[in-house]
Amino acid sequence: MRLRSGVFASSCLLVEALGVALFLRGFFPVPVRSLPRREARGDPPAEPAPPGPGMVSNWTKIPPPLFKKVVIVLIDALRDDFVFGSKGKQFMPYTTQVVEKGTSYSFIAEAKPPTVTMPRIKALMTGSIPGFIDVIVNLNSPALLDDNLIWQAKTAGKRIIFYGDDTWVKLFPKHFVEYDGTTSFFVSDFTEVDDNVTRHLDRVLKREDWDLLILHYLGLDHIGHMTGPNSPLVGPKLREMDNILKKIHISLLSKEEASLPNLLVVCGDHGMSETGSHGGSSDGEVHTPLLFISSAFEKRSGPLTQPGFVQQTDLASTLAVGLGLPISRNSVGNLILPVVGGKTMREQLRFVHLNGFQLSRLLQENTPAYEKDPGYEHFKIAEKSHGNWIKLYLEGNNSEILLNLGKKVLKQYLEALKTLSSSLSKQVAQYDVYSMMVGTVIIMEVLLLLLLSLPKALSSQAEFEVSLSPQLFSLLFYLMCLMLCAVHVIVCTSAESSCYFCSMSWLTAVGVMMLISALMCSILSAIAKIFENSRPPLKNPVVSSSSWSEIDVLILAGTIGHVLSLGASSFIEEEHQTWYFLINTLCLVLCQELCRNNFLLKECDPQHSTTVKQNFDSIGEASECKNIDIPAARNSKVGKATSSAEFIKGSDKWISLASPWIILICCRLLRSLNQTGVQWAHRPDFGHWLTSSEQKSELSFLAAVSLLMIFFLVQRRCSLVSKIAMVLGLLGVYSYRAAIGNVIFPWQHASKDISKGITEARFVYVFVLGIVFTGTKDLLKSQVISADSSVKSTGLWEVYSGLVLLAALLFRPHNLPVLVFCLLIQTMMTKYIWRPLKFDAAQITIMHYWFGQAFFYFQGNSNGIATVDVSAGFVGLESYVEIPAIFLTAFATYAGPLLWAIHLLCYLSSEVNRLKAQLVVLPGTVLV
């Protein structure tokens, strides 16, 4: 059965989607869950029964609330050093004074990745640990159905008011008696997004008709996304937050009653990295301040101590106890004991017992062998000791023995809570390895099959001969199916933890096994055909007797090595090192190939070259008669050897020899521009130096030179209209960066007012759309009106130029050299390496892919979401519009691979035109 390349690629894509879905189902672990929310409210456990007959504790209800009113001020992206460091002392004097000398407890709350807003709100309110799948859900947060603090408070009749990030309104619909949400995705807004929260404060603080007030401020997070944590805008924003905290604290103190005090909680949902982003696991992203301020606490005295570390999930349990509510059933957090440290020993033991009972019940519902868990054993021991303490207490024993025993029991409870929480948290990181392995096998088989089919896909016929019958009825196919089914039975019957693939029906599982076996047989069949169709090469003293060149070996070894490296998490975290190594090695091999073609071919016998040339002509003629693509034949090793007469000469020859070394220098400079990965991301780089406020003049000069270089490298194949549009567009790019304060004009001396640059950015968008439209028009013309391939090639380059202009607008100024070097390397590779060496389409494709991946990391990206530049999605937008914001953010993130992929299309199209112009069709032949 013959298949067109499009049908074959679509089939492979469907099978690939199946493998990816199975892998992701195993990669994203099932979260720890308890009963549904509607069943979560039950009778609380009583105090542990004291030993002996006739003694029963009379405390069987939830303890009463410890605070009358609670105000939670959540400052988005508030790092711990913004409060406890030098910035806190400079810009938040009132908060610093309360922390050092006031009635407060301060901690550093550790957030678990992913450090983005919606999962962190879930962690704060439910006490559970969200997974990485919540990063995607973060774009459109659905209602939270799990048991949580807000639902418990509403069910208990407490009145809740909220102002701030509308993510809360989406997560907790119909829970607030009053609310005003602001969008969190429009990161260009630094002031209005916070003013919309603060404008309600004076009115609400005077009222008495609320129990819980939640304020979520977004301005600091937006400043971080746009300008980073060292921006001069951070200080005024922190001072604004300090004044707001001062107003709330003074108001709460003035309205306190003798019965119950009020509580002010100050926290951050996550921090920010050194570039202003978040989502990863660096210290700046996961460490946030957590302050409890209340007159119920003792005033601090003595030297200031370093704040202790707690988990962000501990807040849900602590606030539940403070408000007199049941602890959320899915919470894995521990009670922060100093908050209730002023209560009696019996009350403290009651609080930690409720927390331990909730954690042990959650462990029972998620772990079959829960009785063997150390945390559960410690809890039972502490519970027994608690019963002995209650016996002494009910007997009226008030001696020192009772106090010491109470402290011992409290210590046992805290140890049990810590162990239980650790056991439950580890379950969130348990992956379904078997499902991941099955999905990976399917993905790798499809990729290998596509790789083996690539030469046919790029030929003129682009058809595949798929012989299904021999594979489906072969002995190898049945043996593989039998073996895989046996492995499936063994794994599923011996697995201790749950497995998604094992939970499928046997019919579905056998179908997947048959698919894997069929793909393997197809791969072996394709490899066998390659060896059958290979012919012994012509004897040539220069050309190696092997059909595999050094480039082929490197491409195959590099591709396989990279795939194997993805099996280790450390290699994934530092994947940029793999790509840097591969492209550096590729440049060295290309240098060797250039030297061989420039020097060794000159020593060949001219008579021998003539003979080989005649042999090549006969091969080309035979290819034409048999409808075989001639460019493919010319790209063979024979074609390379016989092209010595046409090889570049003169000064171009030495430029060609120097090209790999120039590319190596460019790559080394790009590596110094942006540190990425995990291990060395914190180290200073050239990009950090450029973005500091002291180097604005240097950054402005670099941006101007980069934009000028971009024009000269792109304009060579553009039409006159596109050249004019490109010049105006690049001027608009610089004007936009000057408007938002990133760069300055030469005549600009005083500090200019910073704006959002809406007009300048939209000015650039007009020219981007104009250039892309011109290219699209040429592409349609080449397909519909005329069959002139030169028009198609010009259209592709016009589209490419428009996307380069868009990338220049979205890239931050210090990243513009990345775009320059990208264009420079593409130009040098095209003119001085690929064309002289006459590589075939498959080799050119893989080289483009390698450089595209390397430039993804040269931009400063990584495999962590913390390096995603969200600010690019709001260039030129006055408000948050979802589709354009997602498109712009994705384009800015993957600009490197996209530009190299489009350049590949431009190169292949131009090569077809060039070869057609050089091709002389012999009489009586058929040109395909």
Side-chain angles (χ1 to χ4, degrees), residues 751-799:
S751 59
K752 180 178 176 292
D753 292 336
I754 296 176
S755 69
K756 297 178 182 179
I758 303 295
T759 304
E760 293 84 352
R762 291 181 176 178
F763 177 79
V764 179
Y765 284 140
V766 170
F767 293 109
V768 171
L769 293 175
I771 297 173
V772 173
F773 175 77
T774 303
T776 306
K777 182 188 69 175
D778 291 338
L779 288 175
L780 293 175
K781 182 180 177 182
S782 67
Q783 296 293 326
V784 179
I785 300 176
S786 66
D788 187 2
S789 57
S790 62
V791 177
K792 178 181 178 182
S793 179
T794 304
L796 282 172
W797 188 262
E798 296 276 1
V799 173

Side-chain angles (χ1 to χ4, degrees), residues 32 34 40 45 126-128 147 313 316-317 320 326-335 351-366 379 383 417 420-421 424:
V32 176
S34 184
T126 66
S128 60
D147 185 20
T313 51
S317 303
I327 298 175
S328 302
R329 292 288 299 268
N330 298 323
S331 173
V332 297
N334 296 338
L335 176 67
F351 295 147
V352 292
H353 174 255
L354 289 172
N355 194 186
F357 182 84
Q358 173 262 325
L359 290 174
S360 63
R361 183 172 55 183
L362 185 62
L363 184 72
Q364 293 178 38
E365 295 171 354
N366 288 274
F379 174 71
E383 201 173 35
L417 294 180
L420 282 169
S421 179
L424 290 167

Side-chain angles (χ1 to χ4, degrees), residues 32-88:
V32 176
R33 287 288 181 268
S34 184
L35 294 173
R37 191 172 65 181
R38 60 181 179 273
E39 303 175 22
R41 290 186 66 86
D43 294 331
E47 278 186 319
M55 300 192 69
V56 180
S57 172
N58 57 358
W59 198 351
T60 59
K61 296 184 178 180
I62 295 289
L66 308 179
F67 305 101
K68 181 181 180 182
K69 293 181 182 293
V70 176
V71 179
I72 301 175
V73 180
L74 194 155
I75 304 174
D76 210 296
L78 184 67
R79 300 199 328 185
D80 61 323
D81 58 337
F82 285 174
V83 175
F84 304 130
S86 58
K87 283 188 173 68

Side-chain angles (χ1 to χ4, degrees), residues 566-585:
L566 298 180
S569 60
S570 57
F571 277 97
I572 296 175
E573 293 172 352
E574 307 295 330
E575 188 183 359
H576 61 284
Q577 302 286 4
T578 303
W579 292 115
Y580 295 166
F581 172 78
L582 287 178
I583 61 171
N584 290 344
T585 309

